Amino acid sequence: MEMAMSETSTQPRTTEAAAYTPTDRTVPTRSKERAAYDRELVHAILDEGYVCHLGFVRDGAPVVLPTLYARVGERLYVHGSTGSRPLRMTGQADPGLAVCLTVTHVDGLVLARSAFHHSINYRSVVVHGVARQVTDPEERRLALDALVDHVVPGRAADSRPANAKELAATAVISLDLDEVSAKVRGGGPNDEPEDLSLPHWTGVVPLSKGYGTPVPADDLAPGIGLPDYLTAL
Amino acid sequence: MEMAMSETSTQPRTTEAAAYTPTDRTVPTRSKERAAYDRELVHAILDEGYVCHLGFVRDGAPVVLPTLYARVGERLYVHGSTGSRPLRMTGQADPGLAVCLTVTHVDGLVLARSAFHHSINYRSVVVHGVARQVTDPEERRLALDALVDHVVPGRAADSRPANAKELAATAVISLDLDEVSAKVRGGGPNDEPEDLSLPHWTGVVPLSKGYGTPVPADDLAPGIGLPDYLTAL
């Protein structure tokens, strides 16, 4: 199938204005036409996701964990308990933690006449870099607000900010958007010419995402209505 | 926020029948009550996903790529071009490629009164192990069918199987479900008792997933109707 693992080659692409500079790690070996470096596209894909998959190396082996993230300009933030190992690995004294942060949206199922050309329509962003712990109190506050607002825009201002105890328990790490690529597959199946007369249905099944009706907490006080930023969803 | 990065400790849990045996790598340091090892739960989470995030180490740095996968019993399959680096790294002569394969479903947005307790309802599975290239022709065929049927059950039988040229271009790797854990967060916010009187709306915004109306390919011959396995979606 077409959405198969592909990795990067050593052939750099030409760069464009308003785009990230491709590197060895961000140019795919396959389906090069699907790779993109446009900042606006990258930002849009990142901003639409709720969870990223963050990879790092522990004892020589890869670890991939789903986690919340937020983007502020050209920087991503991830947070976690100060006791968790990946967060400790990004401490001030360290050179930082090599990470790969990936966000993927699955948009449709692509049914070709041949098994080989079955695929998924998707949009993904892969960020390579070094994650560093954020120690500046102002940036930490900004990052934590961004993490809440990434879940629901406008929510940070309508919740109790972290207190000193909570701040002390929370590690925030940052990852700059520098070595970044997007990959997008859209449209219909790419069948072989000799398969066009086969009797199989062919096309795309779109996948939809949406919001259900908000469910108030059991202990929500009467009289607290749904805020505008939720009805807007 | 609660859905923050957490990593594994060295405290094993007791095992149960019909469950994976916890290891150092599959016991989280935080939110231990969310970790689960039940095979049925793990299988259900895996079978519901379309794309996994596969992590491996390249030149000492982590790489996380989205890719299709399929489960057959206690084994996962991933495929790709024979030319792609991670696939080549799993060659017969090699000891295999250390990987971490993660599948995540985001089920809802959890809005607490405090920023700190904001979270996501989710279900994830993390598989650690060594990926090996599948060379047995029968198992390769089985895996490729499973990859198509994972996208749409019943589709493999209604498409042209891979021919010799396509088979030669396709590498299939397997990963046994051995060192596996699930993590599940459900329900409402966990606010602090002292926050209960705050005036912020609190609850869960469910996220829904669904299928859109199938879009036939432009070159679909007239008279080929939608197959039952698609109307059943």
Side-chain angles (χ1 to χ4, degrees):
Chain A
M1 286 190 279
E2 285 180 12
M3 193 195 179
M5 270 203 299
S6 100
E7 243 279 81
T8 58
S9 77
T10 53
Q11 298 169 359
R13 289 162 60 101
T14 53
T15 63
E16 294 162 7
Y20 299 100
T21 304
T23 70
D24 284 2
R25 296 201 287 196
T26 64
V27 177
T29 47
R30 289 177 70 250
S31 306
K32 285 193 178 56
E33 75 287 358
R34 293 183 192 160
Y37 305 90
D38 177 73
R39 284 178 201 270
E40 276 190 36
L41 174 66
V42 165
H43 292 177
I45 292 170
L46 289 173
D47 294 351
E48 188 181 324
Y50 288 111
V51 165
C52 69
H53 284 81
L54 186 78
F56 57 96
V57 180
R58 177 185 164 187
D59 299 336
V63 179
V64 178
L65 297 179
T67 192
L68 291 167
Y69 67 99
R71 181 182 71 84
V72 178
E74 295 293 337
R75 183 166 282 186
L76 297 179
Y77 292 105
V78 169
H79 74 325
S81 159
T82 49
S84 81
R85 190 181 300 227
L87 278 301
R88 289 204 313 266
M89 287 163 79
T90 59
Q92 259 190 301
D94 293 316
L97 178 68
V99 299
C100 180
L101 185 154
T102 301
V103 172
T104 306
H105 306 290
V106 181
D107 296 326
L109 313 177
V110 182
L111 278 63
R113 295 169 178 91
S114 62
F116 187 76
H117 284 298
H118 276 65
S119 191
I120 294 269
N121 280 340
Y122 66 99
R123 292 163 294 141
S124 64
V125 164
V126 175
V127 183
H128 298 271
V130 174
R132 293 198 165 77
Q133 199 158 137
V134 179
T135 53
D136 176 71
E138 268 309 297
E139 188 179 1
R140 277 167 54 83
R141 182 72 73 179
L142 177 89
L144 293 175
D145 280 353
L147 282 157
V148 172
D149 279 337
H150 184 85
V151 175
V152 178
R155 178 67 183 181
D158 187 24
S159 57
R160 174 178 66 70
N163 59 31
K165 182 183 158 198
E166 291 165 347
L167 284 171
T170 305
V172 176
I173 63 176
S174 68
L175 174 65
D176 286 340
L177 292 174
D178 183 27
E179 193 169 355
V180 182
S181 62
K183 212 167 166 188
V184 176
R185 200 252 184 243
N190 298 322
D191 265 314
E192 301 293 332
E194 59 267 32
D195 289 334
L196 296 183
S197 61
L198 291 177
H200 312 300
W201 187 91
T202 176
V204 173
V205 180
L207 296 177
S208 61
K209 286 187 283 191
Y211 298 97
T213 306
V215 180
D218 294 338
D219 56 11
L220 181 67
I224 300 185
L226 209 60
D228 289 345
Y229 53 78
L230 285 185
T231 51
L233 296 179
Chain B
M1 285 188 281
E2 287 180 11
M3 193 197 179
M5 270 202 300
S6 99
E7 243 276 84
T8 58
S9 77
T10 54
Q11 298 170 358
R13 288 161 59 102
T14 53
T15 64
E16 294 162 6
Y20 299 101
T21 304
T23 70
D24 283 2
R25 296 200 288 196
T26 64
V27 177
T29 48
R30 289 178 69 250
S31 306
K32 284 192 178 59
E33 75 286 358
R34 291 183 193 161
Y37 305 91
D38 178 74
R39 284 178 201 271
E40 276 190 36
L41 173 67
V42 166
H43 292 178
I45 292 171
L46 289 172
D47 294 352
E48 187 180 325
Y50 288 111
V51 165
C52 69
H53 283 82
L54 187 78
F56 57 96
V57 180
R58 178 186 164 186
D59 299 336
V63 179
V64 179
L65 297 179
T67 191
L68 290 167
Y69 67 97
R71 181 182 69 85
V72 177
E74 294 295 335
R75 182 167 282 186
L76 297 179
Y77 292 105
V78 168
H79 74 326
S81 159
T82 47
S84 81
R85 190 181 300 229
L87 278 301
R88 289 203 314 266
M89 287 162 79
T90 58
Q92 259 190 302
D94 292 317
L97 178 67
V99 299
C100 181
L101 185 155
T102 301
V103 172
T104 306
H105 306 290
V106 182
D107 297 325
L109 313 176
V110 182
L111 278 64
R113 295 169 178 90
S114 62
F116 187 77
H117 283 298
H118 276 65
S119 190
I120 295 267
N121 280 340
Y122 67 99
R123 292 163 294 141
S124 65
V125 164
V126 175
V127 183
H128 297 271
V130 174
R132 293 198 164 79
Q133 198 158 136
V134 179
T135 54
D136 177 70
E138 268 309 294
E139 187 179 1
R140 278 167 55 83
R141 182 72 75 178
L142 177 90
L144 294 173
D145 281 353
L147 282 156
V148 172
D149 280 336
H150 184 85
V151 175
V152 179
R155 178 67 182 180
D158 188 25
S159 58
R160 175 178 67 69
N163 59 31
K165 182 184 158 196
E166 291 165 347
L167 284 172
T170 305
V172 177
I173 62 176
S174 68
L175 174 64
D176 286 340
L177 292 174
D178 183 30
E179 194 169 355
V180 183
S181 61
K183 212 167 167 189
V184 176
R185 200 255 184 240
N190 298 323
D191 265 312
E192 301 293 333
E194 59 267 33
D195 289 335
L196 296 182
S197 61
L198 291 177
H200 312 299
W201 186 89
T202 176
V204 174
V205 181
L207 296 177
S208 61
K209 286 187 281 193
Y211 298 96
T213 306
V215 180
D218 293 339
D219 57 11
L220 181 67
I224 299 185
L226 207 60
D228 289 344
Y229 53 78
L230 286 184
T231 51
L233 295 180

